[in-house]
Amino acid sequence: MKRVVALLIPIMLLAGCGSTDQPQNSTYGVKASVPRPENVQDPAEVPSPGPAPDCVPRASLRPPATLPAPGKMPAGSTMAKIAARGRLIVGIDQNAYLFGFRDPTSGDLVGFEIDMAHAVAKALFGDPGKVQFLAITTADRIPVIQDGRADMVIRTMTMNCERWQQISFSTEYLASRQRLLVRRGSGIKEFADLAGRKVCATRGSTSIRTIAAQPSHPVPVATDSTLDCLVMLQQGQVDAVSTIDVLLAGLAAQDPTTEVVGTPVSDEPSGIGMSKDTPDLVRFVNGALERIRADGTWTSSYQRWLADSLGPVPAPPAPVYRD
């Protein structure tokens, strides 16, 4: 499988801008500004956490003892409505290497989270290909569930008590912690080394709040995608990128001049997000996750996409149920 090296992006942009032999307007002696990704917030707006009661963030709804067979969803259920439509609509990230990205040869969306979506579609339809993927930003994840544009979101979304008030989650399908991505040789090892320096994460993520809460007072910078943060790190516009370690490993795999460092500063269990109005779908998805944990699908997907970057395949996260 070919790897798309994000390190080349700024170089290609610069090469494309300087291809003419005789520029009409000379800028000799004028320092060119470094191009920025769109919609950058520098410094980022850091939303205050909303009121949230105590909860067990990993605890979801227990699945039925036996899942309905594909093509035989209970009448009137959310699953039956999805089956009648003929496809499952899933919000995903198409720019997260190893998780959800375009294969450069086939053009298909592939990755660990894409495999999770196909597994749910297989449980619903008997056909893993009956999925319509909706590419969204981090900030879009909850709105597309609430307004019905997507049946679910599989986009490394942290399960926390505040979000449980807005949407529902499946059981945990991936464990992670927030750390740092820096340039090799930068001397940055921990958040303590980033006092007053810029650290990038995606808008709408828990990572932005965590950056702002660090005692060293780094300056949070927000972008629409983690890949934009990598470009800004490459261009020297930020000093570090900070998000969950599994995503940082994907960035480091694309750019070997970077490395993941630092003590983890948060616990970030990822769950599949769904509407609070569809508890039957939540239970069904949890049953599908039980199946892929048991039959080796989860393990084989992790081995294919993540083991080279994250090390030996762990056991799948154990499900936690609230009823």
Side-chain angles (χ1 to χ4, degrees), residues 13 28 33 45 88 97 100 103 139 146 153 182 207 239 293:
L13 289 172
Y28 181 76
S33 60
E45 297 176 8
L88 176 70
Y97 184 58
D103 181 272
Q146 292 178 324
V153 166
V182 300
S207 301
D239 298 288
R293 292 185 191 104

Side-chain angles (χ1 to χ4, degrees), residues 25 129 171 206 233 236 254:
N25 297 311
T171 52
T206 55
L233 178 65
Q254 293 175 85

Side-chain angles (χ1 to χ4, degrees), residues 166-179:
Q166 301 171 287
I167 61 173
S168 290
F169 287 97
S170 71
T171 52
E172 182 182 12
Y173 68 87
L174 186 67
S176 61
R177 307 288 186 271
Q178 184 169 342
R179 298 181 66 196

Side-chain angles (χ1 to χ4, degrees), residues 1-4 97 101 103-105:
M1 180 179 62
K2 299 180 180 178
R3 291 189 174 181
V4 181
Y97 184 58
F101 67 104
D103 181 272
T105 302

Side-chain angles (χ1 to χ4, degrees), residues 13-27:
L13 289 172
L14 293 175
C17 294
S19 59
T20 57
D21 293 331
Q22 297 293 331
Q24 294 181 351
N25 297 311
S26 173
T27 57

